[in-house]
Amino acid sequence: MSRIGKKPISIPSGVTATIDGGVLNVKGPKGALSLTLRDEISYTLDDGGILVKPANDSKSARAFWGMQRTMVQNLVTGVTEGFTKKLLITGVGYRANSQGKKLKLQLGYSHDVDIDVPEGIEIKTPDQTTVEISGIDKQKVGQIAAEIRRWRKPEPYKGKGIKYDGEYIFRKEGKKK
C-alpha cells in the first residue's frame, strides 16, 4: 500500500480540475497545466479534492500509484504557488546576467554561454552570482536548472562552479607537504 497514494489531494479555492478523455486539466491563478492519465490508475474528482487509486491489483498499478498522486499534487501546487530553484555561482570571474529570454553565463571559458529560456519559465539574476528560476511546471524548472548547472559543476577542491542553494559540496584536502 502506498502511504503517499492514500492521501487525497485537496483543491484550494480558485482552482478548477476537470478530466476529459484521459487528460487531467488543472486551472488556477498562475496558469493551466495538464497531465495524461495512466490506465492502471483511477482518478476521482470529489467536491473537496482528487482521489487517486489503483484501478486493479496488478504490480504495475501499485508501482505507479504514489508517483501519479505526486504528479497530480505538483499540478495543483504549480498553478497556485509555482516552483522556484535558486543557483549560486562561485568562482573568480564567474557571473550570470539575464537579458530578456536569454541567460548569459561567464564561466571561465573562452566564450560566453548563452542559454535560451523556454516558454513558461522566468529567470531572474538579483546579483551576478545568483540565478533564480521560477515557473508553474516543476519538471521544466528542474530541467532548466540542471542544464545551467551542467555547464560548470562544483569541483571538490576549491568549490568553484554552479551549485543549488543549500547544496553541500564535500571538499577534499589536497596534497600534504
Side-chain angles (χ1 to χ4, degrees), residues 22 29 45 49 52 59 62 76-77 81 89 102 116 128 133-134 137 146 149 152-153 158 167 169 174-175:
L45 284 172
V52 179
K59 189 173 185 177
R62 289 192 315 267
V76 174
T77 305
E81 302 166 18
I89 301 173
K102 285 211 181 268
D116 294 325
Q128 292 183 342
I133 305 159
S134 59
D137 191 352
R149 184 179 185 270
R152 192 64 95 173
K153 289 184 182 174
K158 294 182 179 177
E167 180 182 11
I169 305 300
K175 289 187 177 180

Side-chain angles (χ1 to χ4, degrees), residues 63-101:
F64 284 119
W65 184 14
M67 182 64 183
Q68 288 297 308
R69 189 251 180 227
T70 303
M71 290 175 76
V72 173
Q73 177 66 51
N74 287 342
L75 293 182
V76 174
T77 305
V79 297
T80 54
E81 302 166 18
F83 295 99
T84 303
K85 287 243 185 212
K86 189 174 179 183
L87 298 172
L88 304 174
I89 301 173
T90 308
V92 176
Y94 291 7
R95 59 179 74 83
N97 186 15
S98 65
Q99 301 167 343
K101 282 292 189 182

Side-chain angles (χ1 to χ4, degrees), residues 130-157:
T130 306
V131 178
E132 291 179 356
I133 305 159
S134 59
I136 62 172
D137 191 352
K138 186 174 186 177
Q139 193 273 331
K140 280 186 181 177
V141 170
Q143 182 67 37
I144 194 71
E147 287 174 9
I148 293 169
R149 184 179 185 270
R150 185 191 72 203
W151 280 100
R152 192 64 95 173
K153 289 184 182 174
E155 52 100 9
Y157 296 102

Side-chain angles (χ1 to χ4, degrees), residues 3-75:
R3 293 182 186 185
I4 294 173
K6 288 182 199 174
K7 298 177 185 174
I9 302 156
S10 62
I11 298 177
S13 61
V15 176
T16 58
T18 57
I19 296 177
D20 294 326
V23 177
L24 173 67
N25 296 309
V26 180
K27 293 180 184 173
K30 290 202 174 246
L33 290 172
S34 62
L35 173 71
T36 305
L37 304 178
R38 303 268 327 175
D39 294 334
E40 298 95 349
I41 307 295
S42 69
Y43 305 84
T44 310
L45 284 172
D46 294 340
D47 56 344
I50 304 170
L51 194 60
V52 179
K53 288 190 174 185
N56 51 36
D57 199 27
S58 68
K59 189 173 185 177
S60 64
R62 289 192 315 267
F64 284 119
W65 184 14
M67 182 64 183
Q68 288 297 308
R69 189 251 180 227
T70 303
M71 290 175 76
V72 173
Q73 177 66 51
N74 287 342
L75 293 182

Side-chain angles (χ1 to χ4, degrees), residues 154-159 163 167-173:
E155 52 100 9
Y157 296 102
K158 294 182 179 177
K163 67 176 187 167
E167 180 182 11
Y168 178 75
I169 305 300
F170 185 75
R171 302 285 295 270
K172 293 187 178 179
E173 280 186 41

